[in-house]
Amino acid sequence: MRLNIRTLFLVLSTFIIICTVSLWSNCSNQTFDTFSKNIKSNYESLVQNIKPIDCLINGNSVHVDCLIKNSTVYIPFSFLKNYFEVYGKIIETDDNKKKFHWSHSYSKIYHQNGKYDSRGVFTNFQNYKVEERDRVKCVSASEGVPVSTQWNPHGYYYPTQIAQFGLSHYSKNLTLPSPKRKILENGQLNPLWNVPETSKIQIAFNAQVNSNVIDFFSTDKPISLKIDSKEEFFLSFDVALSLSTRSSIVVTIKDMKEQNEVWNLHYICSRTFIFAKGHNIYHGMHCSREFGWKKLTRNVLIDLQKGLHMLKKTTTKIFRSKYKLCDFKLYGVGFLDNLTLSSSDHISQFYAAAHWFNKHQDKESGGWINPVTRKISPVIKSLKPGWLSAMGQGQAISLLSRAFHHSGGNEVYLNTARTALKPFKIPSKNGGVLSKFMNLHPWYDEYPTVPPIFILNGFMYSLIGLYDLFSLAPNGSEVSQEAYALWRQGMTSLKNLLPLFDMGSRSAYDLRHVTLDIAPNIARWDYHATHINQLLLLATLDNATVIQTTAKRWIGYMNGARASHN
Amino acid sequence: MRLNIRTLFLVLSTFIIICTVSLWSNCSNQTFDTFSKNIKSNYESLVQNIKPIDCLINGNSVHVDCLIKNSTVYIPFSFLKNYFEVYGKIIETDDNKKKFHWSHSYSKIYHQNGKYDSRGVFTNFQNYKVEERDRVKCVSASEGVPVSTQWNPHGYYYPTQIAQFGLSHYSKNLTLPSPKRKILENGQLNPLWNVPETSKIQIAFNAQVNSNVIDFFSTDKPISLKIDSKEEFFLSFDVALSLSTRSSIVVTIKDMKEQNEVWNLHYICSRTFIFAKGHNIYHGMHCSREFGWKKLTRNVLIDLQKGLHMLKKTTTKIFRSKYKLCDFKLYGVGFLDNLTLSSSDHISQFYAAAHWFNKHQDKESGGWINPVTRKISPVIKSLKPGWLSAMGQGQAISLLSRAFHHSGGNEVYLNTARTALKPFKIPSKNGGVLSKFMNLHPWYDEYPTVPPIFILNGFMYSLIGLYDLFSLAPNGSEVSQEAYALWRQGMTSLKNLLPLFDMGSRSAYDLRHVTLDIAPNIARWDYHATHINQLLLLATLDNATVIQTTAKRWIGYMNGARASHN
């Protein structure tokens, strides 16, 4: 706004004219007074002397442009936000006023509602969306579990991530509405199949699955089934393909916002996790033999998202309202059964993870190996592919314990979980996950480095896993007792060492400063909140005051409280 | 300034009139333009819109009145200073500009100039003024060392404080100019003595000290010597008084600012430390027998300050320019020798402390007991009178080692220092000062509590004491080897445990949070600076990187640096 003396006169005269010609009776004194007061108040705030003042920060090296009003100095938030790492944003309130929201941390605390129940949700994992994360390459069409790119861009199975995937779906299954489900085909030949002339589809008894299934054969054009779903995006089916032909399942999706662009999701017999070209996204099912049966449960929007990510089309969330699931197509030669459309399928995703853990455990060590190099810090030897993680073991045990419970006592899960206890008794330097702080306090290592770095959140996740197995295994059973001993041993260490993670205004992520003689590794606020959430959970299982008081103090830190000085 | 629309009009019209009737040729356009620009610029800064905005701190509980200019929010320092504990003041610069000095901490770092030398100043103690502190009741006329009121208002000898008193004077003796010294009397009868008729003064040979001394006898009125010193305020003398008469030495001081108010400092045969009444301040010499000789070295300004403090006249510093030392008076019956006036007497004060340690060591335990109850925390058992302190032992050893060196090898000091090593080998729970962190790392306790709390600065002072004895005791001697073993053992623990004191943005004063399961006890900035100064000193004696890098990082914390988060 540009103003000079003439516009000021203009404003004044205009006002006087308005006043003079006004039809309202009370214009004269009252309105004039209000106007006069406004000018006066603005003028007073001007002469109240808000002036610039130079701020010298810690000596002369840093200057900041501040303001001074009377004798109060005002510091710009733009400086403070980096200096102190605080957060702030201007919010417009309902009455069009602006307010500035200052926050010390950005994370959320989940308070426990009663004693933790191992049959229930896993911590706050009902909020996790593991497979949507950028560091998930795709959900494997072969295994139905996520493939990680966190430490290797080619993709690998990361046990911790798979456990989190499974536990999040277990938790969502308990907290979200039941899925809508529609059986499209279960071996009675849906009349809506569109079969080209040269192709063939029929019902046939399959000895392998001991059931009637769809037997299909197509040449150039596929056999297809129109679905047209804007609400449900989960497809599950059993399929057995011929390896000698280029057989595949293709699902088409239309982007209704982008000029009806059509995407083809191909599920093919390949060892590749995922690749994409043009409008085609390929997921490899890793068929092991001719007409070997595979069970697939696909969130086709996730499959689309991962393909788009590979094509660099997007790295962010998929908006489901944009899309329509159009067709389900059969190419080549194969069998199909149990084709179902649903709005979600958390429990299948949970069991996919549980099956992965049953299938991929190294029975000798009891571990699920991490097939990547893990570099922790420049001053510590990297972990070579093959290392185990107490956090991965622990979360897998939480998952398998729940699978044992949910399946009504399927002992396969229980036995796998028990075998997974082995590494908790083997020192990290010998391939296990056990270390000792100052040769005294046993600790379960998220990363079994030598020397150990004592990561807190990973340790507490492993404790929760041990507790889950203790409490869900048959009462008094050997496995329950074994898990209990490891859980108590760990809890004793936690109570002894927890104070070492208290930094007076933050929490430490680990104790690498103690073992590597370097600066403390402060937990960012979301890990700090994770620490607190884990402590609040454990406090319902162990009434030691140090757990309660530490959690309370750490919640204070999130609001700017600090331990006092002497 | 109160303004309304009429005054605004008035200002404008006045200006137009001034312009019109102006005799200056160029008034019209140019001046009008300037005026218009000024108004415009003021108005623009007004419409630039520095407006108030409400800041909500961590949710809705705290509101702060902030300012917003364009889209930058400004936070008042009055809020920040408490929230973050930072310091700030407005400084007027030479060109009458105001600047705001923001500082994160208030303490000073002393960088080492070359390798630490045990014969030199003790850390930065040349800056200490131990006897001026409020918690010093007085300098005992009996012992020449400070009497503490820190944990008992009646006053007691606190070994740590006595060591600091001695070490500060040793260090001042090395760094400050040599004193001006004037012998007033040394057994040859100064002709300026003013002797009332009924009194008598003469030279007499005294067999006890094997020397000619003053032999005095006065009745009602004292024998006096005019001194009239405005520069020198140290008096030292040897005196032997009759206990059967009310004999005493009195020094008069005039307050030249307060209508020549006169203060009488009485040095009397009493077990009382100090008392005061009217204009009389009494220091008790604790004469043990009739005509027993005492050597006194008195800073009469300190004696006056402590008396005024007792009379509640002042609790602060004495301004020496206000005072004149007037007379030295003899009351009753006694002997006097070696009366000297000087500007300072650091080395006597140093030796007074060293003598105190020789005299008061408990030969069995090797310790100097602390005769007070020490309450550390509500959650730990108080120390009952009689406890020893590794810091007190260590600083006494630093003092005695220097006395051994400075005296040219007087073995009394060396033997006392060696005996003082005993408690470093006895567990705190058995009356010594030795504890172990996690049953592994030996530690020397400033306060031998059970459980230990591992105070860092006290531990490092004890290490410096051990090093001083090792390096000043005869090369290769048993005592040197014994001190060396304890010093190396302690240094190993320091290097292992130092990281535990790193709080990421401050240092911890101790590890009570680990042993008592409570909040960390953050070191206030002057203790934080002490930690750094001690580390910088120790880094010249041990090249372990953890000492160097920790010191450097902790210096950064004083300027707002923080350990990074993940």
Side-chain angles (χ1 to χ4, degrees):
Chain A
M1 186 176 175
R2 304 188 125 260
L3 237 122
N4 59 27
I5 199 74
R6 268 163 296 175
T7 36
L8 191 65
F9 271 121
L10 210 73
V11 169
L12 292 173
S13 358
T14 312
F15 173 73
I16 293 164
I17 290 161
I18 288 168
C19 249
T20 316
V21 305
S22 170
L23 296 173
W24 302 339
S25 55
N26 271 354
C27 171
S28 58
N29 273 352
Q30 206 177 318
T31 314
F32 192 82
D33 274 8
T34 311
F35 179 80
S36 148
K37 264 184 199 157
N38 278 344
I39 286 220
K40 192 177 135 188
S41 119
N42 279 346
Y43 207 90
E44 271 181 351
S45 96
L46 183 67
V47 296
Q48 243 178 7
N49 254 339
I50 300 179
K51 287 183 188 164
I53 185 169
D54 190 18
C55 282
L56 304 185
I57 308 299
N58 299 320
N60 286 323
S61 55
V62 181
H63 288 248
V64 172
D65 294 329
C66 299
L67 297 175
I68 181 166
K69 178 183 171 187
N70 305 328
S71 59
T72 302
V73 173
Y74 289 77
I75 317 287
F77 187 76
S78 49
F79 162 71
L80 299 169
K81 100 182 155 193
N82 294 322
Y83 190 87
F84 289 117
E85 269 195 273
V86 282
Y87 306 85
K89 53 184 169 183
I90 297 166
I91 305 272
E92 213 146 322
T93 57
D94 294 341
D95 49 350
N96 279 335
K97 275 191 184 166
K98 283 180 175 172
K99 287 188 185 273
F100 185 70
H101 282 236
W102 161 299
S103 60
H104 204 84
S105 77
Y106 51 78
S107 289
K108 204 176 158 190
I109 296 303
Y110 295 90
H111 288 272
Q112 286 290 314
N113 193 3
K115 188 181 170 188
Y116 169 70
D117 184 345
S118 299
R119 298 167 302 182
V121 297
F122 183 79
T123 71
N124 58 325
F125 273 34
Q126 69 275 23
N127 304 308
Y128 277 36
K129 296 174 177 175
V130 175
E131 59 274 27
E132 284 186 20
R133 295 176 186 162
D134 278 352
R135 61 178 181 266
V136 169
K137 190 182 188 81
C138 63
V139 174
S140 152
S142 166
E143 302 277 349
V145 299
V147 173
S148 179
T149 54
Q150 193 165 0
W151 298 309
N152 183 338
H154 297 300
Y156 62 98
Y157 291 113
Y158 178 31
T160 304
Q161 190 179 69
I162 293 169
Q164 295 190 353
F165 169 82
L167 288 165
S168 75
H169 285 293
Y170 181 88
S171 304
K172 285 176 197 289
N173 184 59
L174 288 174
T175 50
L176 297 178
S178 296
K180 290 180 205 155
R181 196 183 291 269
K182 191 173 158 192
I183 294 169
L184 301 178
E185 181 60 78
N186 70 349
Q188 290 176 348
L189 208 57
N190 190 325
L192 301 175
W193 284 109
N194 181 354
V195 187
E197 273 187 14
T198 52
S199 300
K200 190 175 153 194
I201 187 166
Q202 64 181 24
I203 294 296
F205 180 78
N206 186 287
Q208 224 178 315
V209 294
N210 193 29
S211 161
N212 280 343
V213 301
I214 299 275
D215 176 357
F216 68 88
F217 167 92
S218 78
T219 49
D220 298 344
K221 293 185 177 171
I223 302 165
S224 69
L225 183 67
K226 190 164 283 301
I227 295 179
D228 276 350
S229 166
K230 292 179 192 172
E231 301 283 335
E232 287 83 35
F233 291 96
F234 270 78
L235 280 174
S236 69
F237 49 92
D238 299 305
V239 64
L241 295 179
S242 160
L243 296 182
S244 50
T245 61
R246 289 176 59 197
S247 307
S248 65
I249 305 291
V250 175
V251 175
T252 57
I253 297 176
K254 194 180 279 178
D255 183 336
M256 298 180 294
K257 291 276 158 62
E258 295 280 342
Q259 301 173 313
N260 287 333
E261 197 171 31
V262 171
W263 295 97
N264 302 307
L265 302 176
H266 301 253
Y267 301 95
I268 60 172
C269 281
S270 161
R271 288 172 171 271
T272 309
F273 290 127
I274 183 173
F275 64 98
K277 197 175 174 187
H279 282 75
N280 298 296
I281 296 162
Y282 300 86
H283 283 79
M285 289 192 285
H286 190 178
C287 318
S288 52
R289 57 192 168 82
E290 183 79 359
F291 297 120
W293 280 93
K294 304 286 290 184
K295 178 168 188 62
L296 270 70
T297 301
R298 308 306 301 173
N299 178 343
V300 296
L301 288 183
I302 290 292
D303 290 346
L304 174 63
Q305 179 202 358
K306 300 305 175 186
L308 294 178
H309 192 181
M310 295 217 78
L311 293 165
K312 308 279 179 224
K313 292 266 178 188
T314 173
T315 58
T316 54
K317 210 173 135 61
I318 287 270
F319 294 97
R320 50 188 299 141
S321 59
K322 277 175 69 178
Y323 295 101
K324 186 165 80 172
L325 199 176
C326 300
D327 299 295
F328 184 86
K329 297 177 178 172
L330 308 170
Y331 281 88
V333 180
F335 302 101
L336 178 81
D337 197 14
N338 297 323
L339 176 61
T340 308
L341 175 70
S342 58
S343 57
S344 70
D345 201 345
H346 298 301
I347 210 67
S348 294
Q349 289 172 294
F350 163 69
Y351 276 112
H355 291 154
W356 188 91
F357 283 107
N358 277 338
K359 185 172 156 193
H360 293 277
Q361 185 175 42
D362 174 39
K363 293 298 171 194
E364 198 185 318
S365 71
W368 293 277
I369 67 148
N370 292 275
V372 286
T373 297
R374 176 77 174 100
K375 193 174 168 63
I376 303 282
S377 147
V379 297
I380 199 168
K381 217 174 134 189
S382 293
L383 295 171
K384 295 293 166 211
W387 53 275
L388 304 183
S389 163
M391 177 164 160
Q393 297 294 118
Q395 293 195 335
I397 290 170
S398 287
L399 178 99
L400 291 161
S401 303
R402 281 168 173 76
F404 173 69
H405 158 72
H406 188 272
S407 65
N410 183 338
E411 297 222 339
V412 174
Y413 301 118
L414 186 67
N415 291 336
T416 306
R418 183 181 185 175
T419 307
L421 296 176
K422 283 188 187 176
F424 288 87
K425 299 165 194 168
I426 310 289
S428 291
K429 60 172 187 271
N430 300 337
V433 298
L434 175 67
S435 64
K436 283 194 178 180
F437 186 80
M438 294 194 174
N439 281 331
L440 191 65
H441 302 288
W443 190 270
Y444 310 133
D445 289 330
E446 178 172 345
Y447 302 116
T449 54
V450 180
I453 58 169
F454 304 101
I455 297 175
L456 181 57
N457 82 89
F459 179 59
M460 289 199 280
Y461 276 129
S462 74
L463 293 178
I464 296 169
L466 294 169
Y467 176 82
D468 285 340
L469 183 54
F470 149 66
S471 69
L472 294 180
N475 215 342
S477 63
E478 268 184 41
V479 48
S480 178
Q481 286 172 25
E482 196 182 335
Y484 181 78
L486 289 166
W487 140 259
R488 289 317 305 168
Q489 168 178 278
M491 283 301 287
T492 302
S493 291
L494 177 70
K495 290 181 275 186
N496 281 310
L497 300 182
L498 187 56
L500 298 180
F501 292 86
D502 195 323
M503 298 278 108
S505 56
R506 302 284 297 241
S507 58
Y509 179 79
D510 53 33
L511 298 181
R512 68 178 64 186
H513 57 298
V514 181
T515 49
L516 304 181
D517 284 349
I518 56 176
N521 183 23
I522 305 299
R524 62 173 189 257
W525 286 120
D526 51 4
Y527 277 119
H528 182 76
T530 297
H531 292 160
I532 294 167
N533 291 330
Q534 292 175 317
L535 289 172
L536 291 174
L537 185 159
L538 293 171
T540 71
L541 307 177
D542 186 313
N543 60 8
T545 53
V546 66
I547 302 177
Q548 299 264 9
T549 55
T550 302
K552 195 176 162 197
R553 193 161 55 246
W554 290 7
I555 289 171
Y557 294 168
M558 295 178 73
N559 294 317
R562 286 186 309 281
S564 58
H565 59 70
N566 58 1
Chain B
M1 186 175 178
R2 304 188 125 262
L3 237 123
N4 58 27
I5 198 72
R6 268 162 295 172
T7 37
L8 192 66
F9 271 121
L10 211 72
V11 168
L12 292 173
S13 3
T14 313
F15 172 74
I16 293 162
I17 291 161
I18 287 169
C19 249
T20 315
V21 303
S22 172
L23 296 172
W24 303 338
S25 56
N26 271 354
C27 172
S28 56
N29 274 353
Q30 206 177 320
T31 315
F32 191 82
D33 273 9
T34 312
F35 178 81
S36 149
K37 264 184 200 157
N38 278 342
I39 287 221
K40 192 178 138 189
S41 121
N42 279 346
Y43 207 90
E44 268 181 351
S45 97
L46 182 68
V47 296
Q48 242 180 8
N49 255 340
I50 299 179
K51 286 185 189 165
I53 186 168
D54 190 19
C55 283
L56 304 185
I57 309 298
N58 300 321
N60 286 322
S61 54
V62 180
H63 288 248
V64 172
D65 293 329
C66 300
L67 297 175
I68 182 166
K69 178 183 171 187
N70 304 330
S71 60
T72 303
V73 173
Y74 289 77
I75 317 286
F77 187 76
S78 49
F79 161 71
L80 298 170
K81 105 185 151 191
N82 295 322
Y83 190 86
F84 289 116
E85 269 194 274
V86 282
Y87 306 87
K89 53 185 170 186
I90 297 165
I91 305 273
E92 213 144 320
T93 57
D94 295 341
D95 50 350
N96 280 333
K97 276 191 185 167
K98 283 180 176 173
K99 286 186 185 273
F100 185 70
H101 282 237
W102 162 298
S103 60
H104 204 83
S105 78
Y106 51 77
S107 290
K108 203 177 158 188
I109 296 304
Y110 295 89
H111 288 272
Q112 287 290 313
N113 193 2
K115 189 181 172 189
Y116 169 70
D117 183 345
S118 299
R119 298 166 302 181
V121 298
F122 183 81
T123 71
N124 58 325
F125 273 33
Q126 70 275 23
N127 305 308
Y128 277 36
K129 295 174 178 176
V130 174
E131 59 273 27
E132 284 186 22
R133 295 176 186 163
D134 278 354
R135 61 177 181 266
V136 170
K137 191 181 186 82
C138 63
V139 174
S140 152
S142 166
E143 302 277 351
V145 297
V147 173
S148 179
T149 54
Q150 193 166 358
W151 298 309
N152 183 338
H154 297 300
Y156 62 97
Y157 292 112
Y158 178 32
T160 304
Q161 190 178 69
I162 293 168
Q164 296 191 350
F165 170 81
L167 288 166
S168 75
H169 287 292
Y170 181 88
S171 304
K172 284 175 198 289
N173 183 60
L174 289 174
T175 50
L176 296 178
S178 297
K180 289 180 207 158
R181 197 182 290 271
K182 191 171 156 193
I183 294 170
L184 301 177
E185 182 61 79
N186 71 346
Q188 289 177 345
L189 208 57
N190 187 325
L192 300 175
W193 284 109
N194 182 354
V195 186
E197 270 186 17
T198 53
S199 300
K200 192 175 151 192
I201 188 166
Q202 65 181 25
I203 295 295
F205 180 79
N206 185 288
Q208 226 179 313
V209 294
N210 194 28
S211 159
N212 281 342
V213 302
I214 300 275
D215 175 359
F216 69 88
F217 167 92
S218 78
T219 48
D220 299 345
K221 291 183 178 171
I223 301 165
S224 70
L225 182 67
K226 190 163 281 303
I227 295 178
D228 276 352
S229 166
K230 293 180 191 169
E231 301 283 335
E232 287 83 34
F233 291 96
F234 271 77
L235 280 173
S236 68
F237 48 93
D238 299 305
V239 65
L241 295 178
S242 162
L243 295 182
S244 51
T245 61
R246 291 175 59 194
S247 307
S248 65
I249 305 291
V250 176
V251 175
T252 58
I253 297 175
K254 195 180 279 177
D255 183 336
M256 298 180 293
K257 292 273 157 64
E258 295 281 342
Q259 300 174 314
N260 288 332
E261 196 172 30
V262 171
W263 295 96
N264 302 307
L265 302 176
H266 303 254
Y267 301 95
I268 61 171
C269 281
S270 162
R271 287 173 172 270
T272 310
F273 289 127
I274 183 173
F275 65 98
K277 197 174 173 187
H279 282 76
N280 298 297
I281 295 161
Y282 301 86
H283 283 79
M285 289 192 286
H286 192 180
C287 318
S288 51
R289 57 191 169 79
E290 184 79 357
F291 296 120
W293 282 93
K294 304 287 290 185
K295 180 171 187 56
L296 270 74
T297 301
R298 307 307 301 174
N299 177 343
V300 297
L301 290 183
I302 291 291
D303 290 347
L304 174 62
Q305 179 203 357
K306 300 305 176 185
L308 294 178
H309 191 183
M310 297 218 77
L311 293 164
K312 309 277 181 226
K313 292 266 178 187
T314 174
T315 57
T316 54
K317 209 170 137 61
I318 287 271
F319 294 97
R320 50 190 299 141
S321 59
K322 279 175 68 178
Y323 295 100
K324 186 164 79 171
L325 198 176
C326 300
D327 300 295
F328 184 85
K329 297 177 179 171
L330 308 169
Y331 281 87
V333 179
F335 303 101
L336 179 81
D337 197 11
N338 296 324
L339 176 61
T340 307
L341 176 70
S342 57
S343 56
S344 71
D345 201 346
H346 297 302
I347 209 69
S348 296
Q349 291 172 293
F350 163 68
Y351 275 112
H355 292 154
W356 189 91
F357 284 107
N358 278 337
K359 188 173 155 190
H360 293 279
Q361 186 175 43
D362 174 37
K363 294 298 171 192
E364 199 185 318
S365 71
W368 293 277
I369 66 147
N370 292 274
V372 287
T373 297
R374 177 76 175 100
K375 194 174 167 62
I376 303 281
S377 147
V379 296
I380 199 169
K381 220 172 133 190
S382 294
L383 296 172
K384 295 295 166 210
W387 53 274
L388 305 182
S389 163
M391 176 163 161
Q393 298 294 118
Q395 293 194 334
I397 291 171
S398 287
L399 179 96
L400 292 161
S401 303
R402 280 167 174 77
F404 173 68
H405 158 72
H406 188 271
S407 65
N410 183 337
E411 296 223 337
V412 174
Y413 301 119
L414 187 67
N415 292 335
T416 307
R418 183 182 186 174
T419 307
L421 296 177
K422 283 187 187 175
F424 288 87
K425 298 164 194 168
I426 310 289
S428 291
K429 60 173 188 270
N430 300 337
V433 297
L434 176 66
S435 63
K436 284 193 177 180
F437 187 80
M438 294 193 174
N439 280 332
L440 190 65
H441 302 288
W443 190 269
Y444 311 132
D445 288 331
E446 178 173 345
Y447 301 116
T449 54
V450 179
I453 58 170
F454 304 100
I455 297 176
L456 181 57
N457 83 90
F459 178 59
M460 289 198 280
Y461 276 130
S462 75
L463 292 179
I464 296 170
L466 295 169
Y467 176 82
D468 286 339
L469 182 54
F470 148 65
S471 68
L472 294 179
N475 214 341
S477 63
E478 268 185 38
V479 48
S480 178
Q481 287 172 24
E482 196 182 334
Y484 181 78
L486 289 167
W487 140 259
R488 289 316 307 168
Q489 169 179 279
M491 284 300 287
T492 302
S493 292
L494 176 69
K495 289 181 276 185
N496 281 310
L497 299 182
L498 187 56
L500 297 180
F501 293 85
D502 196 323
M503 298 278 107
S505 57
R506 303 284 296 241
S507 59
Y509 179 80
D510 54 32
L511 298 181
R512 68 179 63 186
H513 57 297
V514 182
T515 49
L516 305 180
D517 283 350
I518 57 176
N521 183 22
I522 303 301
R524 62 173 189 257
W525 286 121
D526 51 4
Y527 277 119
H528 182 77
T530 297
H531 292 160
I532 294 167
N533 291 329
Q534 293 174 317
L535 289 173
L536 291 174
L537 186 158
L538 293 172
T540 71
L541 308 176
D542 186 312
N543 61 8
T545 52
V546 65
I547 302 177
Q548 299 263 11
T549 55
T550 302
K552 194 176 164 196
R553 191 161 57 244
W554 290 7
I555 290 172
Y557 294 168
M558 295 178 73
N559 294 316
R562 286 187 308 279
S564 58
H565 59 69
N566 58 0

